[in-house]
Amino acid sequence: MSVAVLAAVAIFFILVFRMLNVSSQPQKPLFFCKDKQFLNRVLKFAPQLEEPYVPTRLWGFSGHVQTILYSVFGRVRCPCPKGDRKFLMIDDGTTLTYDLFKPTFYEPELEDITVVVVPGICNSSESDYIRTFVNYTQNQGYRCAVLNHVGALHNVPVTASRIFTYGHTDDLHLMLCNLSEHYPSTKIIIIGYSMGGNLVTKYLGELRETRPISVIAGISICQPYDALKATGVLLNWQNFRRLYLYALTEAIKALILKHRSKLLTDDIKEKYSLNEKDIISAATLPELDDAYTRKVNNFKNLHEFYQWSSCLYYINNVKIPMIFINSRDDPLVPEDLLIPIKNFAKSKDNVLYMELMHGGHLGFFEGGFMYPNPIAWLDRTLVSLIPGLKEHCGDDMKKTAVY
């Protein structure tokens, strides 16, 4: 073998090793929390958080690989939990659905807890990572309810002239109200993934006249917090972000075109001044939002729409305990977007921000050399956070009663 060939092989492996970041080591999560009592309560019930997160050795230290594998495969050995689909007819004609999953066992001493799951963009209860988490949560004795974003289910048609969007929280509110009616004694913890994390945080910070008192805490995972800044960042080619933006754009566009018989009728196009050619040709999310989403949501421009959509502009009004989780190697959410949430967690009680060095965007695969454990670090961690949140909220309610 010639020296040139050996050199080319060596360069190839060097590039692969750099891309996979194999020289990196497992690290402990970093915590940003003004309220030390809250942090200690969480760690009491989730002591594994004080241990390093160990990604899959061969490829788990690469945020890109974690993100791509999550988006393509979801999770390994994905189960199929059986649930009941609930249908809610809304005044605007929308068919809203959520799936309800009962715990696989009942412990009389366990308090009635319902874990409400708000999936990421274009996702639903049928997404692999949601099914895996639901199954694991059921097996720990908790009831689960998963919001299906309007338009995301394959076998549920769109019955009104809208699908989900980043800042529309009314669907979540109606689901929570319906759950509270059917389970008046339950306590609800809401968990949101990516866009779902934004919806959860925005909903809890909105100044609504009523909100179910059964909602005691929220958890947000891998969200960017500010759509105004996030879309600008994703337009850059740095760290291949433009490619991820393209994938998101095509996913939303595919849903719009799939339901075009309801979303793009002649009456709807005339009412909102929609140009179908502009929607089809949109190459980036801002282009698609400018051609379609902000118009059907009655916003004059993208700046106004993105500001309305972003939880960062509502977060100061959140009253119940919140935990935020992000990874530093998330290719969709660069570190600059995490500064506001760090500062927020360091300035307000009952708020914890947890930052991991690795994990990518919603990946957090764990263990093994090449083949990861069936249960991801994220699933284990989320379930372990529930008892601490429940106990902390219980103590807060006792203090309120005393005073």
Side-chain angles (χ1 to χ4, degrees):
M1 187 178 293
S2 68
V3 175
V5 173
L6 287 173
V9 171
I11 291 171
F12 171 77
F13 279 108
I14 289 172
L15 291 175
V16 169
F17 271 59
R18 284 187 177 180
M19 183 186 74
L20 295 179
N21 200 22
V22 294
S23 62
S24 187
Q25 296 298 318
Q27 297 189 34
K28 298 179 181 179
L30 297 177
F31 303 111
F32 298 82
C33 186
K34 173 192 174 185
D35 190 344
K36 299 307 177 186
Q37 181 182 6
F38 182 39
L39 176 60
N40 292 336
R41 183 69 53 76
V42 169
L43 295 178
K44 170 187 171 183
F45 290 94
Q48 74 272 18
L49 291 176
E50 299 188 86
E51 300 296 326
Y53 158 54
V54 184
T56 305
R57 182 72 256 183
L58 180 63
W59 46 262
F61 292 92
S62 167
H64 287 294
V65 178
Q66 286 243 26
T67 301
I68 292 169
L69 288 180
Y70 145 77
S71 63
V72 174
F73 299 108
R75 290 289 184 250
V76 298
R77 301 180 193 170
C78 184
C80 294
K82 302 298 182 182
D84 297 320
R85 181 154 295 168
K86 307 297 182 181
F87 290 81
L88 305 177
M89 298 306 298
I90 305 177
D91 292 341
D92 66 358
T94 297
T95 300
L96 177 65
T97 69
Y98 71 90
D99 285 16
L100 188 65
F101 302 87
K102 297 178 180 179
T104 55
F105 70 93
Y106 290 92
E107 288 286 350
E109 64 271 17
L110 280 180
E111 194 168 3
D112 187 355
I113 297 288
T114 301
V115 179
V116 168
V117 180
V118 185
I121 200 165
C122 298
N123 292 166
S124 68
S125 62
E126 297 175 355
S127 302
D128 284 356
Y129 73 102
I130 299 296
R131 288 161 49 196
T132 304
F133 173 69
V134 165
N135 181 256
Y136 183 67
T137 307
Q138 286 179 292
N139 292 338
Q140 305 306 309
Y142 299 111
R143 180 189 303 111
C144 275
V146 182
L147 176 67
N148 296 313
H149 294 305
V150 176
L153 286 172
H154 296 293
N155 58 349
V156 177
V158 168
T159 55
S161 59
R162 73 169 179 91
I163 57 173
F164 70 91
T165 192
Y166 328 120
H168 184 84
T169 59
D170 287 349
D171 293 344
L172 175 59
H173 177 67
L174 290 172
M175 172 191 177
L176 292 170
C177 291
N178 187 264
L179 265 175
S180 298
E181 290 175 8
H182 285 88
Y183 300 96
S185 62
T186 195
K187 292 181 178 178
I188 296 174
I189 295 175
I190 322 177
I191 299 176
Y193 293 81
S194 193
M195 182 196 77
N198 178 73
L199 289 173
V200 169
T201 312
K202 180 176 185 280
Y203 172 72
L204 295 176
E206 289 174 333
L207 301 177
R208 289 177 172 267
E209 292 184 6
T210 59
R211 188 181 288 112
I213 60 173
S214 53
V215 178
I216 62 170
I219 304 175
S220 165
I221 311 144
C222 290
Q223 67 146 312
Y225 305 99
D226 187 349
L228 283 170
K229 292 184 178 179
T231 49
V233 168
L234 287 171
L235 286 170
N236 296 325
W237 280 102
Q238 184 180 2
N239 211 21
F240 305 104
R241 293 189 189 109
R242 193 69 176 262
L243 294 178
Y244 292 103
L245 183 65
Y246 172 78
L248 290 174
T249 305
E250 291 302 307
I252 298 175
K253 188 193 301 182
L255 282 185
I256 295 171
L257 297 178
K258 174 185 175 182
H259 302 292
R260 70 201 308 166
S261 62
K262 276 291 183 181
L263 303 180
L264 298 175
T265 64
D266 290 339
D267 289 345
I268 294 298
K269 286 191 284 188
E270 182 179 355
K271 179 180 179 180
Y272 296 109
S273 301
L274 301 177
N275 186 321
E276 192 167 342
K277 290 183 179 178
D278 291 342
I279 296 171
I280 294 172
S281 63
T284 67
L285 210 50
E287 289 179 11
L288 182 60
D289 288 337
D290 196 37
Y292 177 77
T293 318
R294 64 98 181 164
K295 290 184 177 180
V296 297
N297 285 279
N298 296 307
F299 287 94
K300 296 178 182 178
N301 53 59
L302 279 180
H303 185 279
E304 186 180 277
F305 171 62
Y306 284 150
Q307 187 170 13
W308 169 80
S309 299
S310 303
C311 74
L312 187 64
Y313 301 94
Y314 304 82
I315 199 169
N316 286 318
N317 297 321
V318 176
K319 304 299 182 185
I320 63 175
M322 284 285 302
I323 297 177
F324 301 91
I325 303 173
N326 285 89
S327 65
R328 292 184 64 180
D329 66 353
D330 186 336
L332 278 76
V333 185
E335 292 182 49
D336 288 350
L337 295 178
L338 303 179
I339 294 174
I341 191 61
K342 291 180 186 179
N343 293 334
F344 177 70
K346 291 187 290 186
S347 64
K348 187 167 182 177
D349 291 335
N350 294 328
V351 175
L352 167 62
Y353 170 64
M354 192 187 313
E355 185 175 276
L356 283 84
M357 182 62 68
H358 307 290
H361 189 76
L362 298 180
F364 298 101
F365 293 97
E366 180 178 44
F369 177 75
M370 184 171 67
Y371 197 79
N373 298 340
I375 301 300
W377 176 92
L378 185 60
D379 297 341
R380 290 195 306 111
T381 296
L382 292 175
V383 171
S384 71
L385 294 173
I386 295 171
L389 286 169
K390 177 180 70 69
E391 183 172 297
H392 189 76
C393 292
D395 283 355
D396 280 352
M397 288 163 96
K398 291 176 184 176
K399 291 175 185 176
T400 303
V402 169
Y403 291 105

